[in-house]
Amino acid sequence: MSGPHPPGGGSYPARPGPPTGGSFPPRPGPPAGVRPGPLPDVGDDARHPAVDAAVQAMANAATLAPADQIAQYEAAYETLRETLATIDQT
């Protein structure tokens, strides 16, 4: 069995390629001078240590390289998911 082939006859438009010059334009970073601040004070009754840690980790990720940000966000997501599942069970 062979792989897929385009139908016979006719011509096909050219597919777009990478931009000329061999590289993509730089991605914009966060606005200058904007940095995450401390967590808001919502009172001790509304706080959960694991949630606070995950939120702070996401705020700290803004200073990391994009590849490292992804890992940090995934870890925070997993912490939040597990914590919320635990809270829902009580």
Side-chain angles (χ1 to χ4, degrees):
M1 181 174 196
S2 65
H5 295 285
S11 63
Y12 299 94
R15 291 176 29 169
T20 58
S23 67
F24 292 95
R27 294 179 60 172
V34 176
R35 293 286 175 234
L39 295 174
D41 186 17
V42 294
D44 292 337
D45 292 341
R47 289 204 169 296
H48 191 286
V51 172
D52 286 346
V55 171
Q56 189 61 54
M58 288 189 294
N60 293 342
T63 62
L64 301 174
D68 296 330
Q69 286 179 0
I70 293 169
Q72 192 80 3
Y73 292 143
E74 287 175 345
Y77 167 78
E78 189 62 30
T79 298
L80 291 172
R81 190 183 68 73
E82 290 173 1
T83 303
L84 293 174
T86 303
I87 292 171
D88 285 344
Q89 293 175 1
T90 59

